[in-house]
Amino acid sequence: MIKKWEVLDRKTVLKDRWIDIEASKCRLSDGTVIEPFYVNHIPDFAVIVPVTEEGNVILVRQYRHGVEEVLLELPAGCMEPGEAPEIAARRELAEETGCTGGEWEFLFKLAPDASKSSNYAWCFLAKGVKRTQGQHLDETEELEIVEMSVSKVREELEKGTFVQAVHAAALYAALGKIF
């Protein structure tokens, strides 16, 4: 039977507002010791597949420095400490796109990088949203709102346009529920 690793020691090696890296000393079930093993403790985040009353998907386009590209994505963002996933999802959707309302459905929770990050992505489908306010972006956000038909979203998925794995997974899960 596979067992959890025994953590012999752990210490934070880098922490600021963007990252929280821990170095652990771990013993495997066969006695092997791994040192250091790094884990990034970052907040859980919400990802939303918002569909307008007219049946279009609201997307955002923004620069992602990790891959040094401007990406087409779903609205998403970090959860505040103690914030419930759906509350975070509703807040992020309103902040990034100005869209509110609709019927919300939880799609799934997944670990985007379970080998070295401690966070989860909480994915939701929001059908029937509408723009009711302006954007309220964070100081480091610059994004463009893109409205796209479901058929065009399917086409872009098949072309590999959506490169963020969690976003692609949420879109695939939602497509079967939209129509």
Side-chain angles (χ1 to χ4, degrees):
M1 173 170 28
I2 296 175
K3 296 180 182 175
K4 290 174 65 171
W5 294 358
E6 178 187 359
V7 178
L8 304 172
D9 188 31
R10 63 177 78 200
K11 63 183 174 185
T12 299
V13 294
L14 176 62
K15 183 173 183 167
D16 65 21
R17 72 185 232 186
W18 304 108
I19 197 166
D20 182 354
I21 301 291
E22 172 188 281
S24 299
K25 179 178 181 181
C26 301
R27 184 184 350 256
L28 282 60
S29 60
D30 69 358
T32 302
V33 174
I34 297 175
E35 180 182 24
F37 190 92
Y38 297 103
V39 174
N40 191 6
H41 296 286
I42 51 180
D44 285 5
F45 62 99
V47 178
I48 309 95
V49 181
V51 182
T52 65
E53 293 174 324
E54 297 77 30
N56 293 319
V57 179
I58 301 291
L59 303 162
V60 295
R61 186 174 285 123
Q62 62 184 319
Y63 176 74
R64 293 299 190 182
H65 192 62
V67 294
E68 297 185 11
E69 291 183 35
V70 175
L71 300 180
L72 186 62
E73 313 176 325
L74 292 166
C78 290
M79 294 166 52
E80 300 294 332
E83 188 175 36
E86 186 175 327
I87 299 299
R90 288 177 182 269
R91 177 183 52 74
E92 284 294 337
L93 180 62
E95 288 175 1
E96 291 190 357
T97 69
C99 291
T100 60
E103 295 176 29
W104 286 69
E105 179 181 346
F106 174 69
L107 294 172
F108 56 79
K109 167 183 134 177
L110 58 80
D113 189 2
S115 64
K116 50 187 186 288
S117 290
S118 64
N119 66 333
Y120 287 92
W122 298 78
C123 300
F124 294 87
L125 170 62
K127 294 190 282 189
V129 302
K130 58 184 171 184
R131 283 203 189 108
T132 59
Q133 63 188 41
Q135 291 175 303
H136 299 283
L137 302 176
D138 294 338
E139 64 184 24
T140 60
E141 287 181 312
E142 179 183 6
L143 53 87
E144 171 190 3
I145 299 169
V146 177
E147 193 167 325
M148 190 178 286
S149 70
V150 172
S151 61
K152 181 70 172 165
V153 168
R154 275 195 179 101
E155 181 183 316
E156 294 301 321
L157 267 170
E158 291 172 10
K159 285 179 12 186
T161 299
F162 298 98
V163 298
Q164 291 227 42
V166 173
H167 295 234
L171 281 168
Y172 277 116
L175 283 175
K177 297 174 180 270
I178 294 172
F179 290 107

